PDB file of all heavy atoms in Angstrom:
ATOM      1  N   MET A   1       0.762  -1.100  -0.100  1.00 89.00           N
ATOM      2  CA  MET A   1       0.050  -0.041  -0.008  1.00 89.00           C
ATOM      3  C   MET A   1       0.829   1.278  -0.003  1.00 89.00           C
ATOM      4  O   MET A   1       0.585   2.257  -0.683  1.00 89.00           O
ATOM      5  CB  MET A   1      -0.948  -0.038   1.213  1.00 89.00           C
ATOM      6  CG  MET A   1      -1.981   0.903   1.139  1.00 89.00           C
ATOM      7  SD  MET A   1      -3.269   0.369   2.354  1.00 89.00           S
ATOM      8  CE  MET A   1      -3.845   1.912   2.953  1.00 89.00           C
ATOM      9  N   ALA A   2       1.934   1.248   0.715  1.00 91.00           N
ATOM     10  CA  ALA A   2       2.921   2.393   0.750  1.00 91.00           C
ATOM     11  C   ALA A   2       3.510   2.630  -0.587  1.00 91.00           C
ATOM     12  O   ALA A   2       3.633   3.854  -0.977  1.00 91.00           O
ATOM     13  CB  ALA A   2       3.982   2.196   1.729  1.00 91.00           C
ATOM     14  N   ILE A   3       3.780   1.641  -1.268  1.00 92.00           N
ATOM     15  CA  ILE A   3       4.340   1.726  -2.600  1.00 92.00           C
ATOM     16  C   ILE A   3       3.344   2.391  -3.588  1.00 92.00           C
ATOM     17  O   ILE A   3       3.712   3.272  -4.346  1.00 92.00           O
ATOM     18  CB  ILE A   3       4.876   0.441  -3.148  1.00 92.00           C
ATOM     19  CG1 ILE A   3       6.028  -0.088  -2.334  1.00 92.00           C
ATOM     20  CG2 ILE A   3       5.267   0.534  -4.620  1.00 92.00           C
ATOM     21  CD1 ILE A   3       6.569  -1.481  -2.581  1.00 92.00           C
ATOM     22  N   ASP A   4       2.114   1.981  -3.537  1.00 90.00           N
ATOM     23  CA  ASP A   4       1.113   2.575  -4.368  1.00 90.00           C
ATOM     24  C   ASP A   4       0.824   4.043  -4.009  1.00 90.00           C
ATOM     25  O   ASP A   4       0.488   4.842  -4.883  1.00 90.00           O
ATOM     26  CB  ASP A   4      -0.225   1.735  -4.165  1.00 90.00           C
ATOM     27  CG  ASP A   4      -0.012   0.387  -4.916  1.00 90.00           C
ATOM     28  OD1 ASP A   4       0.879   0.234  -5.811  1.00 90.00           O
ATOM     29  OD2 ASP A   4      -0.720  -0.562  -4.692  1.00 90.00           O
ATOM     30  N   LYS A   5       0.884   4.334  -2.662  1.00 91.00           N
ATOM     31  CA  LYS A   5       0.718   5.733  -2.287  1.00 91.00           C
ATOM     32  C   LYS A   5       1.835   6.603  -2.853  1.00 91.00           C
ATOM     33  O   LYS A   5       1.628   7.717  -3.416  1.00 91.00           O
ATOM     34  CB  LYS A   5       0.718   5.831  -0.792  1.00 91.00           C
ATOM     35  CG  LYS A   5      -0.511   5.402  -0.029  1.00 91.00           C
ATOM     36  CD  LYS A   5      -0.300   5.709   1.397  1.00 91.00           C
ATOM     37  CE  LYS A   5      -1.510   5.093   2.223  1.00 91.00           C
ATOM     38  NZ  LYS A   5      -1.303   5.262   3.588  1.00 91.00           N
ATOM     39  N   ALA A   6       3.011   6.065  -2.843  1.00 92.00           N
ATOM     40  CA  ALA A   6       4.202   6.807  -3.406  1.00 92.00           C
ATOM     41  C   ALA A   6       4.003   6.967  -4.974  1.00 92.00           C
ATOM     42  O   ALA A   6       4.330   7.977  -5.491  1.00 92.00           O
ATOM     43  CB  ALA A   6       5.506   6.137  -3.071  1.00 92.00           C
ATOM     44  N   PHE A   7       3.520   5.962  -5.558  1.00 92.00           N
ATOM     45  CA  PHE A   7       3.351   6.003  -6.940  1.00 92.00           C
ATOM     46  C   PHE A   7       2.289   7.079  -7.403  1.00 92.00           C
ATOM     47  O   PHE A   7       2.588   7.882  -8.241  1.00 92.00           O
ATOM     48  CB  PHE A   7       2.922   4.674  -7.572  1.00 92.00           C
ATOM     49  CG  PHE A   7       2.336   4.614  -8.983  1.00 92.00           C
ATOM     50  CD1 PHE A   7       3.419   4.543  -9.915  1.00 92.00           C
ATOM     51  CD2 PHE A   7       1.029   4.777  -9.294  1.00 92.00           C
ATOM     52  CE1 PHE A   7       2.972   4.587 -11.299  1.00 92.00           C
ATOM     53  CE2 PHE A   7       0.695   4.709 -10.653  1.00 92.00           C
ATOM     54  CZ  PHE A   7       1.728   4.734 -11.568  1.00 92.00           C
ATOM     55  N   THR A   8       1.148   7.033  -6.641  1.00 90.00           N
ATOM     56  CA  THR A   8       0.122   7.974  -6.885  1.00 90.00           C
ATOM     57  C   THR A   8       0.640   9.392  -6.680  1.00 90.00           C
ATOM     58  O   THR A   8       0.376  10.303  -7.506  1.00 90.00           O
ATOM     59  CB  THR A   8      -1.152   7.721  -6.027  1.00 90.00           C
ATOM     60  OG1 THR A   8      -1.507   6.364  -6.220  1.00 90.00           O
ATOM     61  CG2 THR A   8      -2.216   8.612  -6.341  1.00 90.00           C
ATOM     62  N   ALA A   9       1.297   9.642  -5.539  1.00 92.00           N
ATOM     63  CA  ALA A   9       1.739  11.082  -5.243  1.00 92.00           C
ATOM     64  C   ALA A   9       2.761  11.442  -6.283  1.00 92.00           C
ATOM     65  O   ALA A   9       2.727  12.689  -6.652  1.00 92.00           O
ATOM     66  CB  ALA A   9       2.386  11.104  -3.822  1.00 92.00           C
ATOM     67  N   GLY A  10       3.649  10.693  -6.681  1.00 92.00           N
ATOM     68  CA  GLY A  10       4.645  10.987  -7.658  1.00 92.00           C
ATOM     69  C   GLY A  10       4.068  11.211  -9.006  1.00 92.00           C
ATOM     70  O   GLY A  10       4.447  12.131  -9.753  1.00 92.00           O
ATOM     71  N   ALA A  11       3.158  10.441  -9.432  1.00 90.00           N
ATOM     72  CA  ALA A  11       2.567  10.494 -10.773  1.00 90.00           C
ATOM     73  C   ALA A  11       1.737  11.799 -10.905  1.00 90.00           C
ATOM     74  O   ALA A  11       1.643  12.480 -11.790  1.00 90.00           O
ATOM     75  CB  ALA A  11       1.699   9.311 -11.140  1.00 90.00           C
ATOM     76  N   ALA A  12       0.914  12.011  -9.763  1.00 89.00           N
ATOM     77  CA  ALA A  12      -0.041  13.238  -9.817  1.00 89.00           C
ATOM     78  C   ALA A  12       0.600  14.407  -9.343  1.00 89.00           C
ATOM     79  O   ALA A  12      -0.018  15.424  -9.570  1.00 89.00           O
ATOM     80  CB  ALA A  12      -1.180  12.814  -8.900  1.00 89.00           C
ATOM     81  N   ARG A  13       1.771  14.303  -8.822  1.00 92.00           N
ATOM     82  CA  ARG A  13       2.505  15.496  -8.169  1.00 92.00           C
ATOM     83  C   ARG A  13       1.659  16.240  -7.083  1.00 92.00           C
ATOM     84  O   ARG A  13       1.664  17.436  -7.036  1.00 92.00           O
ATOM     85  CB  ARG A  13       2.984  16.355  -9.228  1.00 92.00           C
ATOM     86  CG  ARG A  13       4.006  15.688 -10.249  1.00 92.00           C
ATOM     87  CD  ARG A  13       4.511  16.732 -11.132  1.00 92.00           C
ATOM     88  NE  ARG A  13       5.221  16.121 -12.348  1.00 92.00           N
ATOM     89  CZ  ARG A  13       6.474  15.688 -12.304  1.00 92.00           C
ATOM     90  NH1 ARG A  13       7.189  15.926 -11.348  1.00 92.00           N
ATOM     91  NH2 ARG A  13       6.940  15.070 -13.389  1.00 92.00           N
ATOM     92  N   LYS A  14       0.823  15.531  -6.403  1.00 90.00           N
ATOM     93  CA  LYS A  14       0.045  15.999  -5.252  1.00 90.00           C
ATOM     94  C   LYS A  14      -0.225  15.013  -4.318  1.00 90.00           C
ATOM     95  O   LYS A  14      -0.062  13.783  -4.494  1.00 90.00           O
ATOM     96  CB  LYS A  14      -1.262  16.745  -5.790  1.00 90.00           C
ATOM     97  CG  LYS A  14      -2.169  15.830  -6.516  1.00 90.00           C
ATOM     98  CD  LYS A  14      -3.368  16.558  -7.065  1.00 90.00           C
ATOM     99  CE  LYS A  14      -4.480  16.406  -6.246  1.00 90.00           C
ATOM    100  NZ  LYS A  14      -5.731  17.054  -6.740  1.00 90.00           N
ATOM    101  N   ALA A  15      -0.594  15.392  -3.019  1.00 92.00           N
ATOM    102  CA  ALA A  15      -0.807  14.442  -1.952  1.00 92.00           C
ATOM    103  C   ALA A  15      -2.072  13.658  -2.265  1.00 92.00           C
ATOM    104  O   ALA A  15      -2.962  14.048  -2.861  1.00 92.00           O
ATOM    105  CB  ALA A  15      -1.012  15.260  -0.605  1.00 92.00           C
ATOM    106  N   THR A  16      -1.988  12.385  -1.719  1.00 90.00           N
ATOM    107  CA  THR A  16      -3.113  11.446  -1.980  1.00 90.00           C
ATOM    108  C   THR A  16      -4.418  11.803  -1.156  1.00 90.00           C
ATOM    109  O   THR A  16      -5.461  11.267  -1.521  1.00 90.00           O
ATOM    110  CB  THR A  16      -2.659   9.962  -1.803  1.00 90.00           C
ATOM    111  OG1 THR A  16      -2.274   9.932  -0.382  1.00 90.00           O
ATOM    112  CG2 THR A  16      -1.578   9.590  -2.669  1.00 90.00           C
ATOM    113  N   HIS A  17      -4.277  12.545  -0.092  1.00 89.00           N
ATOM    114  CA  HIS A  17      -5.392  12.725   0.842  1.00 89.00           C
ATOM    115  C   HIS A  17      -6.627  13.531   0.078  1.00 89.00           C
ATOM    116  O   HIS A  17      -7.694  13.307   0.444  1.00 89.00           O
ATOM    117  CB  HIS A  17      -5.029  13.373   2.034  1.00 89.00           C
ATOM    118  CG  HIS A  17      -4.733  14.885   1.886  1.00 89.00           C
ATOM    119  ND1 HIS A  17      -3.433  15.230   1.658  1.00 89.00           N
ATOM    120  CD2 HIS A  17      -5.438  15.973   1.887  1.00 89.00           C
ATOM    121  CE1 HIS A  17      -3.304  16.488   1.537  1.00 89.00           C
ATOM    122  NE2 HIS A  17      -4.513  16.980   1.761  1.00 89.00           N
ATOM    123  N   GLY A  18      -6.253  14.149  -1.015  1.00 84.00           N
ATOM    124  CA  GLY A  18      -7.288  14.942  -1.666  1.00 84.00           C
ATOM    125  C   GLY A  18      -8.160  14.080  -2.495  1.00 84.00           C
ATOM    126  O   GLY A  18      -9.278  14.410  -2.889  1.00 84.00           O
ATOM    127  N   TYR A  19      -7.706  12.877  -2.873  1.00 84.00           N
ATOM    128  CA  TYR A  19      -8.563  11.909  -3.661  1.00 84.00           C
ATOM    129  C   TYR A  19      -9.527  11.212  -2.855  1.00 84.00           C
ATOM    130  O   TYR A  19     -10.419  10.677  -3.435  1.00 84.00           O
ATOM    131  CB  TYR A  19      -7.566  10.918  -4.342  1.00 84.00           C
ATOM    132  CG  TYR A  19      -6.736  11.460  -5.413  1.00 84.00           C
ATOM    133  CD1 TYR A  19      -5.368  11.532  -5.245  1.00 84.00           C
ATOM    134  CD2 TYR A  19      -7.295  11.919  -6.578  1.00 84.00           C
ATOM    135  CE1 TYR A  19      -4.587  12.068  -6.245  1.00 84.00           C
ATOM    136  CE2 TYR A  19      -6.566  12.457  -7.561  1.00 84.00           C
ATOM    137  CZ  TYR A  19      -5.132  12.566  -7.374  1.00 84.00           C
ATOM    138  OH  TYR A  19      -4.355  13.160  -8.294  1.00 84.00           O
ATOM    139  N   GLY A  20      -9.474  11.225  -1.518  1.00 83.00           N
ATOM    140  CA  GLY A  20     -10.434  10.443  -0.726  1.00 83.00           C
ATOM    141  C   GLY A  20     -11.877  11.034  -0.871  1.00 83.00           C
ATOM    142  O   GLY A  20     -12.670  10.201  -1.161  1.00 83.00           O
ATOM    143  N   THR A  21     -12.026  12.263  -0.749  1.00 83.00           N
ATOM    144  CA  THR A  21     -13.436  12.839  -0.983  1.00 83.00           C
ATOM    145  C   THR A  21     -13.808  12.916  -2.432  1.00 83.00           C
ATOM    146  O   THR A  21     -14.943  12.751  -2.833  1.00 83.00           O
ATOM    147  CB  THR A  21     -13.591  14.247  -0.278  1.00 83.00           C
ATOM    148  OG1 THR A  21     -12.551  15.029  -0.830  1.00 83.00           O
ATOM    149  CG2 THR A  21     -13.329  14.142   1.081  1.00 83.00           C
ATOM    150  N   ALA A  22     -12.868  13.172  -3.288  1.00 85.00           N
ATOM    151  CA  ALA A  22     -13.062  13.271  -4.743  1.00 85.00           C
ATOM    152  C   ALA A  22     -13.479  11.993  -5.458  1.00 85.00           C
ATOM    153  O   ALA A  22     -14.025  11.915  -6.509  1.00 85.00           O
ATOM    154  CB  ALA A  22     -11.908  13.848  -5.444  1.00 85.00           C
ATOM    155  N   SER A  23     -13.194  10.768  -4.769  1.00 87.00           N
ATOM    156  CA  SER A  23     -13.307   9.546  -5.301  1.00 87.00           C
ATOM    157  C   SER A  23     -14.734   8.876  -4.780  1.00 87.00           C
ATOM    158  O   SER A  23     -14.992   7.717  -5.149  1.00 87.00           O
ATOM    159  CB  SER A  23     -12.224   8.560  -5.136  1.00 87.00           C
ATOM    160  OG  SER A  23     -12.049   8.309  -3.650  1.00 87.00           O
ATOM    161  N   GLN A  24     -15.425   9.635  -4.002  1.00 89.00           N
ATOM    162  CA  GLN A  24     -16.735   9.060  -3.460  1.00 89.00           C
ATOM    163  C   GLN A  24     -17.725   8.972  -4.549  1.00 89.00           C
ATOM    164  O   GLN A  24     -17.717   9.716  -5.488  1.00 89.00           O
ATOM    165  CB  GLN A  24     -17.237   9.989  -2.263  1.00 89.00           C
ATOM    166  CG  GLN A  24     -16.288   9.895  -1.083  1.00 89.00           C
ATOM    167  CD  GLN A  24     -16.018   8.527  -0.547  1.00 89.00           C
ATOM    168  OE1 GLN A  24     -16.964   7.851  -0.305  1.00 89.00           O
ATOM    169  NE2 GLN A  24     -14.743   8.178  -0.205  1.00 89.00           N
ATOM    170  N   PRO A  25     -18.727   8.144  -4.367  1.00 91.00           N
ATOM    171  CA  PRO A  25     -19.864   8.042  -5.458  1.00 91.00           C
ATOM    172  C   PRO A  25     -20.589   9.464  -5.663  1.00 91.00           C
ATOM    173  O   PRO A  25     -20.747  10.164  -4.645  1.00 91.00           O
ATOM    174  CB  PRO A  25     -20.901   7.103  -4.914  1.00 91.00           C
ATOM    175  CG  PRO A  25     -20.053   6.263  -4.007  1.00 91.00           C
ATOM    176  CD  PRO A  25     -18.933   7.127  -3.460  1.00 91.00           C
ATOM    177  N   GLY A  26     -20.726   9.791  -6.861  1.00 92.00           N
ATOM    178  CA  GLY A  26     -21.241  11.108  -7.257  1.00 92.00           C
ATOM    179  C   GLY A  26     -20.186  12.162  -7.451  1.00 92.00           C
ATOM    180  O   GLY A  26     -20.511  13.238  -7.899  1.00 92.00           O
ATOM    181  N   ALA A  27     -19.005  11.894  -6.954  1.00 88.00           N
ATOM    182  CA  ALA A  27     -18.015  12.944  -7.130  1.00 88.00           C
ATOM    183  C   ALA A  27     -17.263  12.836  -8.503  1.00 88.00           C
ATOM    184  O   ALA A  27     -17.323  11.861  -9.164  1.00 88.00           O
ATOM    185  CB  ALA A  27     -16.860  12.734  -5.938  1.00 88.00           C
ATOM    186  N   PRO A  28     -16.550  13.895  -8.931  1.00 86.00           N
ATOM    187  CA  PRO A  28     -15.924  13.862 -10.189  1.00 86.00           C
ATOM    188  C   PRO A  28     -14.908  12.704 -10.525  1.00 86.00           C
ATOM    189  O   PRO A  28     -14.775  12.254 -11.640  1.00 86.00           O
ATOM    190  CB  PRO A  28     -15.153  15.210 -10.279  1.00 86.00           C
ATOM    191  CG  PRO A  28     -15.667  15.994  -9.107  1.00 86.00           C
ATOM    192  CD  PRO A  28     -16.297  15.099  -8.183  1.00 86.00           C
ATOM    193  N   ALA A  29     -14.226  12.333  -9.454  1.00 84.00           N
ATOM    194  CA  ALA A  29     -13.236  11.195  -9.693  1.00 84.00           C
ATOM    195  C   ALA A  29     -13.603   9.944  -9.097  1.00 84.00           C
ATOM    196  O   ALA A  29     -12.746   8.940  -8.863  1.00 84.00           O
ATOM    197  CB  ALA A  29     -11.843  11.632  -8.918  1.00 84.00           C
ATOM    198  N   HIS A  30     -14.946   9.654  -9.150  1.00 88.00           N
ATOM    199  CA  HIS A  30     -15.479   8.353  -8.548  1.00 88.00           C
ATOM    200  C   HIS A  30     -14.977   7.197  -9.528  1.00 88.00           C
ATOM    201  O   HIS A  30     -14.980   7.377 -10.762  1.00 88.00           O
ATOM    202  CB  HIS A  30     -16.968   8.299  -8.652  1.00 88.00           C
ATOM    203  CG  HIS A  30     -17.592   7.013  -8.277  1.00 88.00           C
ATOM    204  ND1 HIS A  30     -17.407   6.431  -6.982  1.00 88.00           N
ATOM    205  CD2 HIS A  30     -18.262   6.034  -9.078  1.00 88.00           C
ATOM    206  CE1 HIS A  30     -18.133   5.319  -7.066  1.00 88.00           C
ATOM    207  NE2 HIS A  30     -18.561   5.005  -8.259  1.00 88.00           N
ATOM    208  N   GLY A  31     -14.387   6.141  -8.921  1.00 86.00           N
ATOM    209  CA  GLY A  31     -13.806   5.055  -9.670  1.00 86.00           C
ATOM    210  C   GLY A  31     -12.413   5.150  -9.903  1.00 86.00           C
ATOM    211  O   GLY A  31     -11.788   4.260 -10.547  1.00 86.00           O
ATOM    212  N   ILE A  32     -11.697   6.240  -9.612  1.00 86.00           N
ATOM    213  CA  ILE A  32     -10.298   6.480  -9.867  1.00 86.00           C
ATOM    214  C   ILE A  32      -9.384   5.424  -9.237  1.00 86.00           C
ATOM    215  O   ILE A  32      -8.354   5.111  -9.676  1.00 86.00           O
ATOM    216  CB  ILE A  32      -9.750   7.824  -9.660  1.00 86.00           C
ATOM    217  CG1 ILE A  32      -8.512   8.136 -10.324  1.00 86.00           C
ATOM    218  CG2 ILE A  32      -9.645   8.146  -8.136  1.00 86.00           C
ATOM    219  CD1 ILE A  32      -8.068   9.568 -10.271  1.00 86.00           C
ATOM    220  N   ALA A  33      -9.896   4.852  -8.167  1.00 84.00           N
ATOM    221  CA  ALA A  33      -9.004   3.836  -7.433  1.00 84.00           C
ATOM    222  C   ALA A  33      -8.837   2.635  -8.226  1.00 84.00           C
ATOM    223  O   ALA A  33      -7.828   1.907  -7.974  1.00 84.00           O
ATOM    224  CB  ALA A  33      -9.734   3.433  -6.099  1.00 84.00           C
ATOM    225  N   SER A  34      -9.671   2.380  -9.154  1.00 85.00           N
ATOM    226  CA  SER A  34      -9.371   1.137 -10.017  1.00 85.00           C
ATOM    227  C   SER A  34      -8.642   1.534 -11.272  1.00 85.00           C
ATOM    228  O   SER A  34      -8.323   0.547 -12.056  1.00 85.00           O
ATOM    229  CB  SER A  34     -10.825   0.548 -10.400  1.00 85.00           C
ATOM    230  OG  SER A  34     -11.552   1.462 -11.118  1.00 85.00           O
ATOM    231  N   ALA A  35      -8.119   2.783 -11.379  1.00 79.00           N
ATOM    232  CA  ALA A  35      -7.378   3.082 -12.539  1.00 79.00           C
ATOM    233  C   ALA A  35      -5.971   2.444 -12.451  1.00 79.00           C
ATOM    234  O   ALA A  35      -5.565   2.160 -11.351  1.00 79.00           O
ATOM    235  CB  ALA A  35      -7.144   4.668 -12.612  1.00 79.00           C
ATOM    236  N   ILE A  36      -5.378   2.328 -13.597  1.00 79.00           N
ATOM    237  CA  ILE A  36      -3.938   1.763 -13.620  1.00 79.00           C
ATOM    238  C   ILE A  36      -3.988   0.451 -12.894  1.00 79.00           C
ATOM    239  O   ILE A  36      -2.969   0.198 -12.065  1.00 79.00           O
ATOM    240  CB  ILE A  36      -2.967   2.783 -13.108  1.00 79.00           C
ATOM    241  CG1 ILE A  36      -3.200   4.142 -13.829  1.00 79.00           C
ATOM    242  CG2 ILE A  36      -1.571   2.238 -13.492  1.00 79.00           C
ATOM    243  CD1 ILE A  36      -2.294   5.159 -13.249  1.00 79.00           C
ATOM    244  N   GLY A  37      -4.840  -0.498 -13.109  1.00 84.00           N
ATOM    245  CA  GLY A  37      -4.785  -1.828 -12.511  1.00 84.00           C
ATOM    246  C   GLY A  37      -4.939  -1.755 -11.050  1.00 84.00           C
ATOM    247  O   GLY A  37      -4.343  -2.664 -10.429  1.00 84.00           O
ATOM    248  N   GLY A  38      -5.641  -0.800 -10.403  1.00 84.00           N
ATOM    249  CA  GLY A  38      -5.808  -0.751  -8.968  1.00 84.00           C
ATOM    250  C   GLY A  38      -4.635  -0.118  -8.261  1.00 84.00           C
ATOM    251  O   GLY A  38      -4.663  -0.176  -6.988  1.00 84.00           O
ATOM    252  N   ARG A  39      -3.641   0.450  -9.051  1.00 87.00           N
ATOM    253  CA  ARG A  39      -2.463   0.994  -8.301  1.00 87.00           C
ATOM    254  C   ARG A  39      -2.741   2.368  -7.771  1.00 87.00           C
ATOM    255  O   ARG A  39      -1.909   2.947  -6.981  1.00 87.00           O
ATOM    256  CB  ARG A  39      -1.232   1.010  -9.348  1.00 87.00           C
ATOM    257  CG  ARG A  39      -0.079   1.287  -8.769  1.00 87.00           C
ATOM    258  CD  ARG A  39       1.111   0.654  -9.520  1.00 87.00           C
ATOM    259  NE  ARG A  39       2.261   0.789  -8.596  1.00 87.00           N
ATOM    260  CZ  ARG A  39       3.465   0.842  -9.118  1.00 87.00           C
ATOM    261  NH1 ARG A  39       3.714   0.765 -10.320  1.00 87.00           N
ATOM    262  NH2 ARG A  39       4.473   1.053  -8.262  1.00 87.00           N
ATOM    263  N   TRP A  40      -3.711   3.148  -8.325  1.00 89.00           N
ATOM    264  CA  TRP A  40      -4.015   4.445  -7.812  1.00 89.00           C
ATOM    265  C   TRP A  40      -4.616   4.461  -6.545  1.00 89.00           C
ATOM    266  O   TRP A  40      -5.724   3.835  -6.288  1.00 89.00           O
ATOM    267  CB  TRP A  40      -4.986   5.191  -8.865  1.00 89.00           C
ATOM    268  CG  TRP A  40      -4.878   6.633  -8.774  1.00 89.00           C
ATOM    269  CD1 TRP A  40      -5.691   7.503  -8.270  1.00 89.00           C
ATOM    270  CD2 TRP A  40      -3.904   7.389  -9.553  1.00 89.00           C
ATOM    271  NE1 TRP A  40      -5.230   8.788  -8.450  1.00 89.00           N
ATOM    272  CE2 TRP A  40      -4.132   8.704  -9.234  1.00 89.00           C
ATOM    273  CE3 TRP A  40      -2.819   7.116 -10.311  1.00 89.00           C
ATOM    274  CZ2 TRP A  40      -3.445   9.723  -9.766  1.00 89.00           C
ATOM    275  CZ3 TRP A  40      -2.046   8.145 -10.935  1.00 89.00           C
ATOM    276  CH2 TRP A  40      -2.371   9.525 -10.633  1.00 89.00           C
ATOM    277  N   MET A  41      -4.013   5.114  -5.505  1.00 89.00           N
ATOM    278  CA  MET A  41      -4.508   5.024  -4.179  1.00 89.00           C
ATOM    279  C   MET A  41      -5.235   6.411  -3.816  1.00 89.00           C
ATOM    280  O   MET A  41      -4.903   7.482  -4.244  1.00 89.00           O
ATOM    281  CB  MET A  41      -3.346   5.047  -3.131  1.00 89.00           C
ATOM    282  CG  MET A  41      -2.616   3.699  -3.169  1.00 89.00           C
ATOM    283  SD  MET A  41      -3.661   2.302  -2.734  1.00 89.00           S
ATOM    284  CE  MET A  41      -4.058   2.507  -1.138  1.00 89.00           C
ATOM    285  N   VAL A  42      -6.291   6.194  -3.094  1.00 88.00           N
ATOM    286  CA  VAL A  42      -7.096   7.366  -2.606  1.00 88.00           C
ATOM    287  C   VAL A  42      -7.128   7.521  -1.118  1.00 88.00           C
ATOM    288  O   VAL A  42      -7.884   8.316  -0.556  1.00 88.00           O
ATOM    289  CB  VAL A  42      -8.537   7.238  -3.099  1.00 88.00           C
ATOM    290  CG1 VAL A  42      -8.669   7.193  -4.570  1.00 88.00           C
ATOM    291  CG2 VAL A  42      -9.280   6.037  -2.555  1.00 88.00           C
ATOM    292  N   VAL A  43      -6.224   6.807  -0.461  1.00 88.00           N
ATOM    293  CA  VAL A  43      -6.005   6.860   0.969  1.00 88.00           C
ATOM    294  C   VAL A  43      -4.978   7.849   1.225  1.00 88.00           C
ATOM    295  O   VAL A  43      -3.851   7.908   0.553  1.00 88.00           O
ATOM    296  CB  VAL A  43      -5.605   5.484   1.508  1.00 88.00           C
ATOM    297  CG1 VAL A  43      -5.290   5.491   2.989  1.00 88.00           C
ATOM    298  CG2 VAL A  43      -6.536   4.391   1.188  1.00 88.00           C
ATOM    299  N   GLY A  44      -5.223   8.705   2.198  1.00 89.00           N
ATOM    300  CA  GLY A  44      -4.227   9.821   2.651  1.00 89.00           C
ATOM    301  C   GLY A  44      -2.875   9.167   3.066  1.00 89.00           C
ATOM    302  O   GLY A  44      -2.835   8.084   3.595  1.00 89.00           O
ATOM    303  N   GLY A  45      -1.813  10.034   2.933  1.00 89.00           N
ATOM    304  CA  GLY A  45      -0.512   9.530   3.454  1.00 89.00           C
ATOM    305  C   GLY A  45       0.587   9.530   2.462  1.00 89.00           C
ATOM    306  O   GLY A  45       1.716   9.583   2.755  1.00 89.00           O
ATOM    307  N   GLY A  46       0.205   9.595   1.143  1.00 92.00           N
ATOM    308  CA  GLY A  46       1.281   9.728   0.117  1.00 92.00           C
ATOM    309  C   GLY A  46       1.472  11.204  -0.200  1.00 92.00           C
ATOM    310  O   GLY A  46       0.692  12.023  -0.455  1.00 92.00           O
ATOM    311  N   LEU A  47       2.830  11.623  -0.133  1.00 92.00           N
ATOM    312  CA  LEU A  47       3.126  13.016  -0.322  1.00 92.00           C
ATOM    313  C   LEU A  47       4.262  13.073  -1.486  1.00 92.00           C
ATOM    314  O   LEU A  47       5.187  12.215  -1.376  1.00 92.00           O
ATOM    315  CB  LEU A  47       3.776  13.705   0.840  1.00 92.00           C
ATOM    316  CG  LEU A  47       2.760  13.810   2.050  1.00 92.00           C
ATOM    317  CD1 LEU A  47       3.501  14.260   3.336  1.00 92.00           C
ATOM    318  CD2 LEU A  47       1.675  14.729   1.720  1.00 92.00           C
ATOM    319  N   PRO A  48       4.136  13.937  -2.402  1.00 92.00           N
ATOM    320  CA  PRO A  48       5.149  13.985  -3.539  1.00 92.00           C
ATOM    321  C   PRO A  48       6.389  14.660  -2.982  1.00 92.00           C
ATOM    322  O   PRO A  48       6.371  15.497  -2.118  1.00 92.00           O
ATOM    323  CB  PRO A  48       4.469  14.817  -4.517  1.00 92.00           C
ATOM    324  CG  PRO A  48       3.530  15.751  -3.804  1.00 92.00           C
ATOM    325  CD  PRO A  48       3.057  14.841  -2.650  1.00 92.00           C
ATOM    326  N   VAL A  49       7.531  14.271  -3.511  1.00 90.00           N
ATOM    327  CA  VAL A  49       8.751  14.938  -3.232  1.00 90.00           C
ATOM    328  C   VAL A  49       9.080  15.842  -4.274  1.00 90.00           C
ATOM    329  O   VAL A  49       9.213  15.511  -5.420  1.00 90.00           O
ATOM    330  CB  VAL A  49       9.963  13.823  -3.216  1.00 90.00           C
ATOM    331  CG1 VAL A  49      11.203  14.515  -2.783  1.00 90.00           C
ATOM    332  CG2 VAL A  49       9.624  12.791  -2.065  1.00 90.00           C
ATOM    333  N   LEU A  50       9.092  17.158  -3.988  1.00 85.00           N
ATOM    334  CA  LEU A  50       9.316  18.185  -4.865  1.00 85.00           C
ATOM    335  C   LEU A  50      10.643  18.830  -4.571  1.00 85.00           C
ATOM    336  O   LEU A  50      10.773  19.502  -3.495  1.00 85.00           O
ATOM    337  CB  LEU A  50       8.230  19.165  -4.880  1.00 85.00           C
ATOM    338  CG  LEU A  50       6.810  18.595  -5.101  1.00 85.00           C
ATOM    339  CD1 LEU A  50       5.714  19.696  -4.827  1.00 85.00           C
ATOM    340  CD2 LEU A  50       6.751  18.061  -6.519  1.00 85.00           C
ATOM    341  N   VAL A  51      11.645  18.800  -5.448  1.00 86.00           N
ATOM    342  CA  VAL A  51      12.942  19.414  -5.214  1.00 86.00           C
ATOM    343  C   VAL A  51      13.211  20.427  -6.180  1.00 86.00           C
ATOM    344  O   VAL A  51      12.985  20.221  -7.418  1.00 86.00           O
ATOM    345  CB  VAL A  51      13.969  18.380  -5.083  1.00 86.00           C
ATOM    346  CG1 VAL A  51      15.379  18.978  -4.975  1.00 86.00           C
ATOM    347  CG2 VAL A  51      13.702  17.378  -3.997  1.00 86.00           C
TER     348      VAL A  51
END
């Protein structure tokens, strides 16, 4: 799960906690958790490393 959080944060270049509410039924990103073979995480805790 930690690897998938890191993947999501790095690919999207934003923290994963924002996807939690956006992925609920009726929200714009509903179903995003099943994107990319289930690798996209909507659980908070993933932070992108920006240098």
Side-chain angles (χ1 to χ4, degrees):
M1 194 160 143
I3 293 171
D4 291 339
K5 284 182 189 180
F7 172 83
T8 303
R13 299 184 196 271
K14 61 187 260 184
T16 59
H17 70 270
Y19 291 111
T21 54
S23 65
Q24 297 301 314
H30 176 64
I32 197 169
S34 61
I36 312 173
R39 191 150 190 211
W40 204 263
M41 292 299 295
V42 296
V43 179
L47 298 173
V49 177
L50 305 173
V51 177

